[in-house]
Amino acid sequence: MVMTLEIRPTALADAPVRGFEMLIDGRWTAGAEGRTIDRNAPSHGIVVSRYQAAPRMDAERAIASARKAFDHGRWPHTTASQRSRVLLKAADLIEARAEDLAYLDCIEGGKPITQVRGEIAGAVDIWRYAAALARDLHGESYNSLGQNTLGVVLREGIGVVSIITPWNFPFLILSQKLPFALAAGCTCVVKPSELTSGSTLVLGEILEEAGVPDSVVNIVTGTGPEVGAIMTSHPAVDMVSFTGSTGVGKLTMTNAAQTLKKVSLELGGKNPQIVFPDADLDSFIDAAVFGAYFNAGECCNAGSRLILHKSIASDVVKRVAELAKYVKVGDPLDPATQVGAIITPQHLEKIAGYVASAKNSGAKVVHGGDQLDLGMGHFMSPTILEAVMPDMEIAREEVFGPVLSVLTFETAAEAVEIANSIDYGLSASVWSRDFDTCLTFGRSLRVGTVWMNTFMDGASELPFGGYKQSGLGRELGRRAVEDYTETKTLNMHIGGRTNWWMPRQENWPGQRTDRDLAE
Ligand code: NDP
């Protein structure tokens, strides 16, 4: 049984297609070649948004604009308090337009409206956090280098930053990058996913109103191979901040390497939830369902691998399957919906292909496993697969859909081995009432975040990112602004310098002796 909620075609049928321009060099503009991209709501199959499809020359114009704004504009030189004020104003304006932003991410991304409202609220908090960090960005001083030397370490905005984001959390992921880059005094070129560009473009309007000067933020829409490729390789770009698949992340690194750009990557995950017999199972059952089906499993942090102690496995699977029956799949505009539409028909096929191949390899479907026909749109039933072995494709690859794989273990060492055996290392959770078990796992797992007796909680203060092929660098946390800076050393000499070759003048205060030089 799967609980489905009816799609209301009328909700979108009368709505006009929303057209967007791009923001380049302080102006809203169409693409140079006049091409556009139509976005169908994945839940309703109706065109809801029309973006500009930028050719390469638009991306180059946006990069030149950001370069000019960094090299000759006032933004990098404004005081931290001024930048902070602009970011706080932006946060207020995002809050004021939250419903518009949530609606766009909901209909373009197929995400449940109540969930997206939460994401926008989370984003507002991040903008405010970045505003606070802006005022605390500072270097270091060394007054300990001897009487002749004072060392000062400066933090300077790194320059022009290319920001490339995926479709699964369009506004939230953008907010994990852009306010920190702005706080550091950088200028930016932003490319959202061609599937969910709407909320990023609305943010462009918000930033203008908040007082971000022209050309500091440029937003270019279009495809990855056309726009993204130039943003990751252009010599005028200093840093690339990318969130997306591991495959495109590797390509980004290769492109950026040609001019040695700094690269920050947030990539895929295949995250385990490890459960011991002494865990609070009531609490875990809910977290298992939430972890697997939140955002239809289209989530880098999805808890897509359950690693259960053998003694509790069959009971836990039965209870997770029972609860999964009550997860409501359907119209993302309906506030009761918990799982919305799958982003595209091609992606739905890919998810279904993973399930079919898992079955061929010996996995057993305990719940779901099918595409759902709701009369329109693309939907997948919440799915549970058991008898999954650690070497199966379904246990190692990111499905990015509502598919939960169940594996089992007998010893703690085996659980660590299974958890760490894959290429990804984004996050994990461990469930036990025993403090030692939780801490031992916290230290043994090669992942960026370990939850203990909870799942997918987050806060602006806590760094987020992956080990291994889940990424490079961290977002959020108190160092988030520093990521967008260069370090410069000022090495200052006080008093007369001891010459290397010219005859020395005697009796300068602080004159170094031969012994000093030898040391
Ligand atoms: P993709 O890697 O396909 O795309 C991400 C972005 O990169 C899009 O804007 C895309 O453009 C762009 N892009 C595509 N090709 C290139 C290229 N050659 N050069 C530069 N940019 C390019 O990922 P998805 O959008 O499919 O997102 C899903 C992936 O993102 C999953 O693997 C998921 O795990 C990961 N992710 C990771 C998170 C993390 O924080 N670790 C968070 C969220 C998602 P376009 O699509 O418009 O062509």
Side-chain angles (χ1 to χ4, degrees):
M1 177 191 108
V2 176
M3 288 208 36
T4 55
L5 297 175
E6 196 191 341
I7 305 289
R8 291 168 301 148
T10 47
L12 292 183
D14 299 332
V17 175
R18 192 150 163 188
F20 293 95
E21 293 186 312
M22 300 180 289
L23 183 58
I24 300 178
D25 207 12
R27 276 193 211 93
W28 289 96
T29 170
E33 291 175 359
R35 287 182 283 130
T36 54
I37 297 170
D38 280 355
R39 176 59 182 151
N40 281 319
S43 52
H44 289 71
I46 297 168
V47 180
V48 285
S49 300
R50 182 161 296 141
Y51 323 120
Q52 304 300 315
R56 182 191 168 102
M57 82 179 74
D58 286 327
E60 286 173 338
R61 228 158 42 81
I63 293 167
S65 157
R67 186 77 258 166
K68 179 189 69 184
F70 187 79
D71 292 343
H72 307 293
R74 64 182 195 275
W75 183 251
H77 310 292
T78 50
T79 63
S81 96
Q82 283 170 313
R83 288 206 289 270
S84 177
R85 265 204 304 275
V86 170
L87 295 176
L88 287 172
K89 177 92 187 288
D92 290 345
L93 293 168
I94 293 168
E95 207 163 37
R97 289 187 69 173
E99 202 50 34
D100 189 20
L101 293 164
Y103 177 79
L104 279 167
D105 278 4
C106 168
I107 54 165
E108 293 177 359
K111 297 153 70 79
I113 186 71
T114 43
Q115 178 196 311
V116 197
R117 286 184 183 131
E119 288 168 27
I120 306 295
V124 170
D125 186 66
I126 298 174
W127 281 79
R128 292 194 175 128
Y129 181 64
L133 288 185
R135 298 193 68 165
D136 194 41
L137 179 63
H138 60 272
E140 297 157 350
S141 65
Y142 287 88
N143 194 27
S144 54
L145 308 176
Q147 278 190 308
N148 300 116
T149 305
L150 178 63
V152 174
V153 182
L154 302 181
R155 288 277 180 183
E156 297 179 342
I158 196 167
V160 174
V161 182
S162 284
I163 294 180
I164 300 177
T165 56
W167 45 260
N168 59 342
F169 294 92
F171 197 80
L172 189 62
I173 289 175
L174 176 61
S175 300
Q176 290 178 193
K177 301 173 185 294
L178 185 56
F180 300 100
L182 293 175
C186 296
T187 61
C188 303
V189 180
V190 179
K191 190 201 98 59
S193 161
E194 70 191 273
L195 302 173
T196 54
S197 301
S199 59
T200 301
L201 292 158
V202 168
L203 181 68
E205 294 170 11
I206 289 173
L207 295 180
E208 285 182 315
E209 195 180 337
V212 174
D214 283 357
S215 307
V216 168
V217 176
N218 299 267
I219 303 171
V220 188
T221 50
T223 67
E226 202 161 17
V227 176
I230 186 78
M231 286 170 64
T232 54
S233 57
H234 198 288
V237 171
D238 300 293
M239 174 175 173
V240 182
S241 176
F242 172 88
T243 297
S245 60
T246 294
V248 179
K250 289 178 183 173
L251 193 61
T252 295
M253 212 165 163
T254 306
N255 285 347
Q258 306 317 308
T259 46
L260 281 185
K261 301 180 199 320
K262 182 173 181 180
V263 176
S264 159
L265 302 172
E266 297 294 341
L267 309 175
K270 184 80 183 180
N271 314 295
Q273 298 218 55
I274 302 154
V275 191
F276 284 84
D278 67 340
D280 173 352
L281 291 184
D282 288 344
S283 188
F284 168 71
I285 302 298
D286 179 75
V289 172
F290 165 64
Y293 307 133
F294 170 74
N295 211 52
E298 295 171 329
C299 179
C300 54
N301 256 336
S304 51
R305 285 193 292 163
L306 296 192
I307 305 181
L308 307 176
H309 191 270
K310 265 204 173 118
S311 65
I312 52 167
S314 69
D315 176 46
V316 167
V317 171
K318 214 181 304 156
R319 291 178 65 187
V320 172
E322 190 54 35
L323 190 58
K325 287 183 193 161
Y326 295 94
V327 172
K328 298 184 191 78
V329 184
D331 190 341
L333 287 164
D334 185 334
T337 293
Q338 291 166 301
V339 172
I342 300 299
I343 191 79
T344 57
Q346 296 80 356
H347 190 57
L348 180 59
E349 285 305 322
K350 190 171 161 195
I351 298 169
Y354 269 117
V355 174
S357 136
K359 284 200 278 188
N360 283 340
S361 312
K364 199 173 129 221
V365 177
V366 183
H367 178 70
D370 316 303
Q371 304 185 26
L372 290 174
D373 182 0
L374 301 189
M376 57 182 69
H378 339 293
F379 296 87
M380 176 85 194
S381 61
T383 297
I384 303 172
L385 298 168
E386 67 173 0
V388 173
M389 303 311 287
D391 57 351
M392 286 183 188
E393 180 189 58
I394 196 76
R396 311 184 73 79
E397 292 191 12
E398 185 182 47
V399 175
F400 227 53
V403 179
L404 184 58
S405 296
V406 182
L407 299 94
T408 58
F409 71 94
E410 280 179 279
T411 64
E414 197 189 346
V416 173
E417 172 75 27
I418 296 171
N420 283 340
S421 68
I422 60 166
D423 292 335
Y424 293 113
L426 189 58
S427 60
S429 77
V430 54
W431 293 79
S432 166
R433 287 194 171 93
D434 185 88
F435 182 72
D436 287 356
T437 304
C438 287
L439 266 192
T440 304
F441 268 78
R443 296 168 113 179
S444 313
L445 297 173
R446 299 207 60 229
V447 299
T449 298
V450 182
W451 289 283
M452 296 176 190
N453 297 316
T454 187
F455 197 74
M456 231 191 296
D457 294 340
S460 304
E461 289 82 351
L462 298 177
F464 174 67
Y467 279 40
K468 300 194 278 184
Q469 295 191 30
S470 285
L472 200 62
R474 296 290 178 269
E475 293 187 333
L476 302 176
R478 57 195 275 267
R479 306 222 177 277
V481 180
E482 286 180 15
D483 277 349
Y484 293 94
T485 63
E486 264 291 10
T487 304
K488 181 181 281 175
T489 297
L490 300 185
N491 189 328
M492 295 178 267
H493 190 79
I494 302 161
R497 182 174 166 274
T498 304
N499 291 340
W500 181 58
W501 177 248
M502 296 284 285
R504 294 191 208 158
Q505 292 178 311
E506 297 300 329
N507 303 325
W508 277 92
Q511 171 86 46
R512 275 182 284 183
T513 65
D514 289 342
R515 194 162 153 217
D516 291 335
L517 288 171
E519 281 171 357

